[in-house]
Amino acid sequence: FLYSSMVSGIVLIVFSVLYMFWFRSIQDRIPFATVMLRTATCITATYPAMTITAFFALLLSIMYYMFFFALMLMFKDLPGMFVLFILMFYWSGEVFQNCVHTV
């Protein structure tokens, strides 16, 4: 018990030191992140349709993924079709995501 506690403590100390170095390295970027967050908040408050569009796109994509998952379950016995469905699923998901981002 004592040995595992010491190993866990050493690992925790190592991660704490790494976290401290990480925080010191990004500390000068915090004001820029604050400005970016304020800008994004102002844009979102000015154009609420953007949030509504994203929400409906999320619902549509969830329904599409459920449909695609049902299709994959129907063809699970054919390995070639299953691989083809996985590739089509990935491609269509990326296209859908890019369409939402550009609209």
Side-chain angles (χ1 to χ4, degrees), residues 29-38:
R29 299 180 201 170
I30 291 175
F32 176 70
T34 304
V35 170
M36 294 298 286
L37 282 172
R38 283 188 184 143

Side-chain angles (χ1 to χ4, degrees), residues 8-20:
S8 300
I10 291 171
V11 169
L12 183 64
I13 289 172
V14 167
F15 277 111
S16 298
V17 169
L18 288 174
Y19 182 73
M20 183 184 67

Side-chain angles (χ1 to χ4, degrees), residues 14-85:
V14 167
F15 277 111
S16 298
V17 169
L18 288 174
Y19 182 73
M20 183 184 67
F21 284 136
W22 174 77
F23 182 74
R24 292 282 185 190
S25 68
I26 67 153
Q27 193 172 12
D28 58 339
R29 299 180 201 170
I30 291 175
F32 176 70
T34 304
V35 170
M36 294 298 286
L37 282 172
R38 283 188 184 143
T39 304
T41 304
C42 288
I43 290 173
T44 305
T46 304
Y47 303 106
M50 183 173 57
T51 307
I52 295 168
T53 303
F55 179 72
F56 283 122
L58 177 67
L59 290 178
L60 184 66
S61 66
I62 288 172
M63 289 187 302
Y64 177 73
Y65 293 150
M66 288 171 55
F67 171 73
F68 218 93
F69 185 69
L71 279 178
M72 284 176 40
L73 286 178
M74 285 173 41
F75 291 100
K76 68 181 176 185
D77 297 331
L78 302 171
M81 287 297 289
F82 189 72
V83 171
L84 181 64
F85 272 131

